[in-house]
Amino acid sequence: MDIIVRHQLALDIDSAVHSISWPDTYQEPDYVAKLVTSLPGVIKKSLQALLPLRKIAVGGAFIHQKPLARFIHPKYSGLKTPELGDLLIVCREQRTMGLVYNALLLQAKCTDNVLRTTVPRDHQFLLYSQWPVFEYVRAGRLNGIRRSVSPKTITQGAQYLLIDKKNPLEMFTATVDIPLEGTTYLPCALASVLAFDRGRTILKNTSENFSKVIWDLLKICSSSVFNRRRAGYNNEPKWSGSSAFNFILSQEERNDDMNVEREQSGFGVICVDLGVFESQK
């Protein structure tokens, strides 16, 4: 994806973000639900126009559960159990060497200043900055499964999403740091993930644990409907643009026991299949 395509894609996503009717709840899950139900169609339409020779598929999902990571080491026993994240972006592309995947996991935080905000060095910051060994909690059939992400430091595959409390149109991604500095406008960040310039490459059928975490989260996104009444969603279909998830669902078993309503939380995912790399045409 060249810079011209990436720039136009970011502009199209920006227009979509500005057209969203945002709820006045000041709660991160409501904003994430809006993103995953509003953006997939726009991303597909934009990519299909910009890359007409490719077969593009895009879809979004939102589940009530927000999977947690319970730290294993005794020295962290007094800490709360952090969330794995709020929003996951995954894309794949068929290249000459085979399928390649890219992912960005975002932890959303409403703030008064999206360009510079201070967060405590708490359980969530510890997860994204040091990645202690953890086991899944509130993750359906994955409860108790352990993961040890390496290297034990910040990764471009997991960042914060800073959302302006008074104007949710203003969303910026921030690398894990003290303080957090919102450096990339969300539409630009999404376009960069699809261009493989942002995020972290993941693998299938691997022992590499960051990749495993991403596939774990995709497995968890399998409930049939979701309710987020404060944001105006009642019994919405889980998949928006379900064809985009064929490459996921055909390989992963469903976890229908995850279909439990939890209004206080939620986790969203957007998947994009970019089709065939241009050099193969």
Side-chain angles (χ1 to χ4, degrees):
M1 186 183 298
D2 62 35
I3 191 170
I4 296 176
V5 171
R6 189 188 323 166
H7 179 66
Q8 185 58 53
L9 176 60
L11 289 175
D12 292 340
I13 296 174
D14 176 63
S15 295
V17 169
H18 277 77
S19 69
I20 294 174
S21 177
W22 296 99
D24 297 325
T25 61
Y26 309 119
Q27 295 192 21
E28 292 90 352
D30 295 328
Y31 300 138
V32 171
K34 284 290 186 180
L35 290 172
V36 300
T37 53
S38 302
L39 294 186
V42 173
I43 293 173
K44 180 178 181 179
K45 182 178 179 180
S46 177
L47 285 172
Q48 202 64 78
L50 294 167
L51 305 170
L53 299 182
R54 300 193 191 190
K55 184 178 181 181
I56 304 293
V58 186
F62 185 89
I63 63 170
H64 310 302
Q65 290 73 18
K66 188 173 291 185
L68 304 179
R70 177 186 291 144
F71 299 136
I72 301 302
H73 199 286
K75 71 177 181 179
Y76 302 129
S77 60
L79 294 179
K80 294 181 179 179
T81 303
E83 305 162 352
L84 262 296
D86 292 292
L87 175 62
L88 172 64
I89 313 298
V90 178
C91 68
R92 83 165 186 176
E93 186 172 58
Q94 178 70 51
R95 298 183 178 177
T96 53
M97 76 289 290
L99 288 170
V100 291
Y101 297 84
N102 196 35
L104 176 62
L105 180 61
L106 294 168
Q107 174 66 33
K109 179 178 178 59
C110 288
T111 177
D112 292 320
N113 187 346
V114 294
L115 299 181
R116 186 179 178 86
T117 189
T118 301
V119 294
R121 295 180 181 273
D122 59 3
H123 52 297
Q124 187 67 51
F125 190 88
L126 177 64
L127 177 67
Y128 276 20
S129 61
Q130 298 183 33
W131 293 100
V133 179
F134 67 85
E135 65 180 13
Y136 288 112
V137 179
R138 209 171 69 190
R141 297 174 188 175
L142 292 176
N143 284 343
I145 298 296
R146 294 190 178 187
R147 295 287 183 248
S148 180
V149 171
S150 294
K152 303 294 184 185
T153 186
I154 62 172
T155 170
Q156 292 305 305
Q159 301 182 17
Y160 280 82
L161 174 61
L162 304 180
I163 305 171
D164 192 303
K165 286 182 178 180
K166 298 179 180 179
N167 181 17
L169 289 173
E170 297 296 317
M171 297 187 184
F172 285 79
T173 59
T175 299
V176 179
D177 201 354
I178 297 291
L180 294 176
E181 295 187 353
T183 56
T184 307
Y185 184 44
L186 179 61
C188 296
L190 294 180
S192 293
V193 171
L194 303 188
F196 285 73
D197 286 339
R198 183 176 296 270
R200 178 167 168 174
T201 300
I202 60 172
L203 305 170
K204 282 288 289 181
N205 303 318
T206 177
S207 60
E208 193 275 306
N209 272 271
F210 184 80
S211 295
K212 284 186 175 182
V213 168
I214 300 304
W215 291 108
D216 291 340
L217 293 173
L218 289 170
K219 287 181 183 180
I220 292 169
C221 288
S222 60
S223 57
S224 59
V225 298
F226 74 86
N227 295 289
R228 189 70 190 170
R229 295 186 178 91
R230 284 191 294 265
Y233 297 113
N234 295 285
N235 294 320
E236 291 286 329
K238 178 194 60 158
W239 304 116
S240 173
S242 60
S243 62
F245 291 86
N246 288 341
F247 72 96
I248 300 294
L249 296 179
S250 63
Q251 302 174 47
E252 310 293 351
E253 65 176 288
R254 292 180 58 82
N255 291 299
D256 291 322
D257 60 329
M258 293 298 299
N259 190 19
V260 179
E261 183 172 347
R262 294 177 186 272
E263 280 281 319
Q264 75 278 12
S265 63
F267 179 80
V269 57
I270 295 175
C271 282
V272 180
D273 188 349
L274 291 172
V276 178
F277 186 56
E278 291 182 355
S279 65
Q280 293 183 285
K281 298 172 184 176

